[in-house]
Amino acid sequence: MYQTALAICTILLTTESGLAESCVTNSSDQTYFFAVTPPTGARVTAQLDPGEGLCAATKSGAIVSVYESATAIEGCSRLVAENQSDSLIKYAEFDRCAWGSHSQ
């Protein structure tokens, strides 16, 4: 489900450096471009099909974002804590997406 190379890299970072993970899952029925941006460290991006996920190693959470495509300027973003994730339920432009955390 998760990008294989990224998952392996994230697992190695988590166990070797004590970092946690912040993740996003595409729970919509469309393919979109996602990013996970920790306050420090590398921003991780990928085009995710429905059901796929993306994680980044972090010590203090991250911003998870979704865009219609890799070249889109506007999208939707959410803050997640370390060892937390959120899932995109439905994409809508200008930060009006439906996220799984909305129902919590």
Side-chain angles (χ1 to χ4, degrees):
M1 292 244 269
Y2 288 89
Q3 303 290 330
T4 305
L6 176 63
I8 292 169
C9 180
T10 302
I11 291 168
L12 291 174
L13 283 172
T14 301
T15 56
E16 289 180 11
S17 63
L19 294 175
E21 288 183 323
S22 292
C23 304
V24 63
T25 302
N26 183 2
S27 295
S28 76
D29 58 359
Q30 300 289 319
T31 298
Y32 293 107
F33 186 77
F34 287 82
V36 181
T37 310
T40 59
R43 180 179 197 231
V44 180
T45 62
Q47 189 85 12
L48 299 180
D49 291 327
E52 291 185 321
L54 183 66
C55 295
T58 178
K59 285 189 177 183
S60 56
I63 298 171
V64 296
S65 307
V66 59
Y67 304 90
E68 231 175 329
S69 69
T71 59
I73 296 171
E74 288 287 336
C76 298
S77 299
R78 300 288 288 171
L79 293 172
V80 296
E82 66 276 359
N83 286 329
Q84 282 194 328
S85 64
D86 208 339
S87 58
L88 175 73
I89 305 300
K90 184 174 182 176
Y91 181 82
E93 290 183 340
F94 306 113
D95 227 4
R96 295 185 324 224
C97 294
W99 294 93
S101 61
H102 287 159
S103 62
Q104 296 176 351

